[in-house]
Amino acid sequence: MSNATVVLDAGDGNITARIHNNHVVFPVLSYTYPLKLLSPRIQQDGVAVVYMMTYGGGLVGGDRISLSINVEQDAQLVLLSQGSTKVFKARSGVRAAARSTARPPDSTTMQRLDVSIAAGGALFLLPDPVTCFRNASYRQAQTFRLAHGASAALLDWYTSGRRARGEEWAFARYYSVNEVFVSSVRSARDVVLLEAMGTESASDVCGEFLPRRTLADRMGPYSCYATLLLYGPLVQGVIRELEDRVQKITVFQVREPLDVLWSLSPVSGQTNGRIVRVAGKETEEVKKWLSDALRGGLVSVIGDEVYSKTFI
Amino acid sequence: MQVDKETYLLLLLSDANLPTGSFVASAGLESTAAHALFHVPATPPGSDTLPFSETHTLPFARDAHRVTTAYASGEMTELDEALQALSRLDALYDASTLNHVARRASCAQGAALLTLYARGFTRPPFLMLKTPTTYLPLLDERENRAGALVAALKLRVRRGDSDAPGHLPICWGVLAGALGLTVDRGAYIHLFLHARGVLSAAIRMNALGPYAAQQLLLHAVKHMVDDALTSSAHVVSGALQDEIDPEHAEDRLPATTWPLGDLLAARHDLLHSRIFNS
């Protein structure tokens, strides 16, 4: 494959991970502002780590990040971030990361991830959660195409905002689409739309009898939600542990909502995939839960050194 | 008093005794209550929630309805073409419903609706002889085609064909289309029946009294249903249209707006004691 020069738009990134003599190398690892990619050297064979970062540690309305990842046969890639992705509300003026001025200014922050994973390959997407600040508008589209025999652990999570500033689900909009295709057949499509309620609606007319009007009412008392998709041979250990855990749960009528709630469901179809959902009153509790739940199954695949970099 | 056929159908479809399989489904309400997250509206007016997030199923029901109408009227000529379109809708709904309890409940109720049409709404043989011969050709053709579609789908679902899970919104759309309802009317009744089913479950769980439930139905549910219909009018299933790029979907894709509900529903089987299947 030739190394043709590709013109990248602002916020674009490309990663190709390939196995070479039992090490993972990057024939392609490119990025443009405000996206930055960093790959630290690690001891473990067969696996590599890439940190996805944004300059300034945050994104503003109008920013667009688009990352394409190609994990080749038998390569294992761990994708992390350094701190929660912070999404600020729109500011006026033209941003350096904004797309061509031909398009009308947009107050939405957009992140796009397109991944393909070859047989024997694996992607462990374990970033920090997305935090949308007051009045922010955020949208993400993540598409994962797995070959038969590919593995993936895909974590996607978000929080209610800066609680220290009293932001409890105070953003304007959060829209997320996660799609997984296995052998070109759609296996899962998870679409979440969270919007601050508008001022005009039938609910206002009818007042008290109607469903809660604010996003905080519908999401509360939890302030962090996580979704984890699991596919392929290399995550079967994780799946087995989770299934053991869920067998031990019996829910008796409670008077107060539990601090952390989680569920495990098989993904329909022939893929033996699983989906884990977690909600917690505190982000730290969800983080701890995830870290504990995945440790056993993942350390045996990616090793201690790499796993210790996750869920910090 | 003369009643048009559609109004008469509404009366039949809103019968609480109609065997739709929804009696054993609480739509996640039982789990919500067990986890101390169901807040009963106080009487007189006080607080909040009625878990109600059916809007993501409407685009599928509407599309299935349109396919059925097209086939029954002869506009779509081949049975296979109709079945394939329904299969695409079913598969997409399956992939979009990521909680196994909801999928299970959806398939059970979907199958019940197909059976309901086949055994409860088709014309019994002994009545056909008495039909005026001038009407016979027109009635028979549309009813025959609708009946054939339902029968073929029902067979696939019964056989456990992987491309015919028989989800509730698809089967509802087929039933409503086979009965000759308009797409809008079909969507409306679907939402109403869902709301009423949830309230009925609340009564049986002793979370709500029967009179309070009626008050909600009259004064609150109507607005909720109207709201849900208008807010989902622009949403398409994505199965019958060209593949929609998620980045540019402009929110036309069916979406979950209450992720907590999904989580709670998925935990239903973990409840120590339960009176519902889902």
Side-chain angles (χ1 to χ4, degrees), chain A residues 200-268:
Chain A
E200 288 298 313
S201 80
S203 320
D204 287 349
V205 174
C206 214
E208 305 85 14
F209 272 124
L210 286 196
R212 295 156 151 171
R213 290 149 63 199
T214 71
L215 190 56
D217 287 332
R218 261 184 292 143
M219 304 299 285
Y222 301 108
S223 64
C224 176
Y225 283 74
T227 295
L228 176 68
L229 286 158
L230 298 164
Y231 284 87
L234 294 176
V235 301
Q236 292 306 308
V238 172
I239 291 174
R240 270 194 302 275
E241 272 204 46
L242 289 170
E243 285 182 336
D244 279 345
R245 278 196 186 212
V246 91
Q247 300 280 11
K248 298 189 173 88
I249 301 178
T250 303
V251 178
F252 294 88
Q253 176 72 51
V254 293
R255 288 218 192 89
E256 290 291 323
L258 301 172
D259 288 345
V260 175
L261 281 186
W262 68 285
S263 69
L264 176 68
S265 285
V267 173
S268 76

Side-chain angles (χ1 to χ4, degrees), chain A residues 11-259:
Chain A
D12 274 3
N14 273 291
I15 305 175
T16 295
R18 178 178 296 166
I19 271 280
H20 185 71
N21 288 340
N22 211 26
H23 294 292
V24 175
V25 297
F26 294 106
V28 179
L29 186 73
S30 56
Y31 49 91
T32 56
Y33 177 93
L35 175 65
K36 187 175 159 77
L37 303 173
L38 190 91
S39 178
R41 194 157 301 173
I42 52 172
Q43 307 282 40
Q44 177 85 11
D45 281 341
V47 60
V49 174
V50 171
Y51 284 95
M52 304 173 288
M53 298 170 293
T54 49
Y55 280 91
L59 296 169
V60 186
D63 279 350
R64 182 177 184 272
I65 301 287
S66 177
L67 180 55
S68 290
I69 302 178
N70 188 18
V71 180
E72 295 187 355
Q73 191 164 3
D74 297 331
Q76 295 178 17
L77 178 63
V78 178
L79 224 56
L80 304 175
S81 60
Q82 287 196 327
S84 163
T85 299
K86 303 168 194 47
V87 182
F88 296 81
K89 74 170 164 68
R91 284 199 212 126
S92 53
V94 179
R95 296 259 316 145
R99 289 306 174 112
S100 84
T101 48
R103 266 192 30 197
D106 186 0
S107 62
T108 298
T109 301
M110 169 84 209
Q111 287 210 102
R112 190 184 170 127
L113 183 63
D114 290 285
V115 175
S116 51
I117 310 173
L123 175 68
F124 302 98
L125 176 65
L126 303 170
D128 293 276
V130 168
T131 295
C132 292
F133 293 173
R134 188 179 301 279
N135 296 330
S137 174
Y138 175 78
R139 168 188 203 94
Q140 69 176 28
Q142 306 195 136
T143 305
F144 306 91
R145 298 180 191 275
L146 276 60
H148 178 75
S151 301
L154 309 168
L155 175 63
D156 184 31
W157 49 329
Y158 52 94
T159 74
S160 60
R162 290 171 296 190
R163 299 180 72 201
R165 289 216 193 181
E167 288 174 359
E168 201 63 54
W169 306 109
F171 51 78
R173 200 164 204 267
Y174 173 92
Y175 183 68
S176 162
V177 180
N178 275 303
E179 269 188 305
V180 181
F181 293 84
V182 178
S183 305
S184 304
V185 174
R186 182 186 277 109
S187 166
R189 184 171 80 181
D190 188 30
V191 183
V192 175
L193 171 60
L194 305 175
E195 271 182 309
M197 288 302 225
T199 48
E200 288 298 313
S201 80
S203 320
D204 287 349
V205 174
C206 214
E208 305 85 14
F209 272 124
L210 286 196
R212 295 156 151 171
R213 290 149 63 199
T214 71
L215 190 56
D217 287 332
R218 261 184 292 143
M219 304 299 285
Y222 301 108
S223 64
C224 176
Y225 283 74
T227 295
L228 176 68
L229 286 158
L230 298 164
Y231 284 87
L234 294 176
V235 301
Q236 292 306 308
V238 172
I239 291 174
R240 270 194 302 275
E241 272 204 46
L242 289 170
E243 285 182 336
D244 279 345
R245 278 196 186 212
V246 91
Q247 300 280 11
K248 298 189 173 88
I249 301 178
T250 303
V251 178
F252 294 88
Q253 176 72 51
V254 293
R255 288 218 192 89
E256 290 291 323
L258 301 172
D259 288 345

Side-chain angles (χ1 to χ4, degrees), chain A residues 112 173 186 212 265-266, chain B residues 39 100 103 243 247 251:
Chain A
R112 190 184 170 127
R173 200 164 204 267
R186 182 186 277 109
R212 295 156 151 171
S265 285
Chain B
H39 304 281
H100 64 293
R103 281 201 302 272
E243 202 54 47
E247 184 183 347
D251 316 328

Side-chain angles (χ1 to χ4, degrees), chain A residues 263-267 273-277, chain B residues 98-101 103 262 266:
Chain A
S263 69
L264 176 68
S265 285
V267 173
R274 295 290 186 279
I275 181 167
V276 183
R277 307 267 202 198
Chain B
L98 291 161
N99 125 34
H100 64 293
V101 174
R103 281 201 302 272
D262 210 50

